[in-house]
Amino acid sequence: MHALLSSSPLALALLSGALGLLVGSFLNVVGHRLPIIMERRWARECAEFNDAETQQDDQVYNLTTPRSACPACGHNITAMENIPILSYLFLRGKCRGCGIKISPQYPVVEAVTGLLSVFVAWHFGYGWQTLAALFFTWTLIALTIIDLKKQLLPDSITLPLLWAGLIINLGHVFTDIESSILGAVFGYLSLWSVYHLFRLLTGKEGMGYGDFKLLAALGAWLGWQSLPIIIIFSSLVGAVVGITMILFKRQQQGQPIPFGPFLAVAGWLTMIWGKEITDAYMRFSGLA
């Protein structure tokens, strides 16, 4: 297997894509269950703080238990109904138990995760960079799902992502450790400063602390040199998307738009093409 994967980029890409489809199915579970787990924990902590009685729920609820089921009729999803993309097509997007429509989010996330996994493996080739980049990609997808649905970037994902970036760059996987540490520091402080300046000028909060931690994690993975690209690209895309949604009346003025997905997309693109983007800008500006 080692010889095949190291000598055949196609085999590596196909294996990564198949693994990506399976991981994408799990990321759908993470996106749905993790916010519920957090909300239940917060409710217990608030009740304990206020010395209030909490209603005990003996049912274990985590990322693996109980089995996935239809929220409408309670039909337990079998293994054959949980095959990425194929099951959705076979069931024609409907629950086998009650016929209610299944959200297209599930096959979309699976397909995106599979395709991005194929691209990452094809781009980096056989080696540690591909393993690290796959983990980076899957984590950013999970954060994007949760932030789009709940406007929340959980510490249980952003902080391990930050530490993982520092650890892998001890081996200079994407950058040197000095750039990684400075990337984490400057990534956090840059958005932290913008947040407090915006609040001072307007009296409003422009973003959440999860955005600071996500940019710190991106800096830890890709180095401080990547931060200007990530900030500029995510801000431009965020502004275009926000204005477009307002113009088409899909978003009301003043209604918050999650910034985490734009940071995630900008971070992933920078991981893939950061050097090329920087070199092109240097040539365009005449600095190179």
Side-chain angles (χ1 to χ4, degrees):
M1 180 63 74
H2 168 77
L4 175 62
L5 295 178
S6 60
S7 61
S8 174
L10 179 60
L12 177 63
L14 292 176
L15 178 62
S16 299
L19 182 60
L21 290 173
L22 296 174
V23 171
S25 181
F26 177 69
L27 295 182
N28 277 316
V29 175
V30 173
H32 174 71
R33 294 195 180 193
L34 185 57
I36 297 175
I37 294 170
M38 296 173 66
E39 289 169 1
R40 292 184 177 185
R41 185 178 71 243
W42 294 336
R44 288 195 303 270
E45 292 173 351
C46 289
E48 292 171 0
F49 179 79
N50 294 311
D51 294 326
E53 293 185 2
T54 58
Q55 184 177 359
Q56 297 295 325
D57 186 355
D58 295 332
Q59 183 183 24
V60 177
Y61 190 87
N62 52 42
L63 296 180
T64 59
T65 305
R67 284 176 55 185
S68 297
C70 173
C73 68
H75 167 70
N76 285 327
I77 299 175
T78 65
M80 293 303 295
E81 295 170 345
N82 205 27
I83 301 173
I85 300 178
L86 295 180
S87 291
Y88 183 87
L89 296 176
F90 178 76
L91 294 170
R92 298 182 180 179
K94 297 180 181 180
C95 171
R96 174 175 285 179
C98 64
I100 193 173
K101 186 177 180 181
I102 301 172
S103 171
Q105 169 200 314
Y106 297 102
V108 168
V109 169
E110 292 163 354
V112 169
T113 307
L115 290 173
L116 293 184
S117 299
V118 168
F119 187 86
V120 163
W122 190 269
H123 180 80
F124 288 109
Y126 186 75
W128 289 110
Q129 265 196 328
T130 292
L131 285 177
L134 286 173
F135 172 79
F136 184 73
T137 301
W138 298 338
T139 306
L140 292 182
I141 292 173
L143 289 170
T144 297
I145 296 169
I146 296 172
D147 205 21
L148 285 174
K149 294 177 67 175
K150 297 291 185 178
Q151 296 191 3
L152 177 71
L153 293 170
D155 286 352
S156 56
I157 298 180
T158 56
L159 296 183
L161 181 65
L162 189 157
W163 285 108
L166 295 174
I167 291 171
I168 66 157
N169 282 322
L170 287 171
H172 295 241
V173 175
F174 290 106
T175 187
D176 57 87
I177 187 60
E178 291 84 1
S179 296
S180 178
I181 294 173
L182 291 175
V185 173
F186 293 151
Y188 188 91
L189 290 179
S190 58
L191 288 188
W192 180 88
S193 302
V194 171
Y195 166 85
H196 284 285
L197 179 61
F198 182 82
R199 191 174 67 168
L200 180 65
L201 295 176
T202 66
K204 301 177 181 179
E205 296 183 356
M207 63 183 67
Y209 276 68
D211 297 316
F212 314 164
K213 298 167 189 174
L214 176 54
L215 187 57
L218 298 178
W221 276 77
L222 306 175
W224 67 267
Q225 300 90 338
S226 67
L227 293 176
I229 301 174
I230 295 173
I231 293 173
I232 292 172
F233 186 75
S234 59
S235 300
L236 288 175
V237 175
V240 170
V241 171
I243 292 172
T244 302
M245 292 177 68
I246 291 173
L247 290 176
F248 285 91
K249 298 182 179 180
R250 299 293 299 273
Q251 188 86 6
Q252 296 180 356
Q253 292 189 16
Q255 184 179 353
I257 297 175
F259 191 53
F262 303 123
L263 286 173
V265 171
W268 190 84
L269 292 175
T270 301
M271 176 187 69
I272 300 295
W273 292 298
K275 186 177 185 303
E276 289 80 358
I277 294 172
T278 302
D279 291 344
Y281 171 78
M282 297 291 283
R283 288 194 300 269
F284 178 78
S285 62
L287 298 176

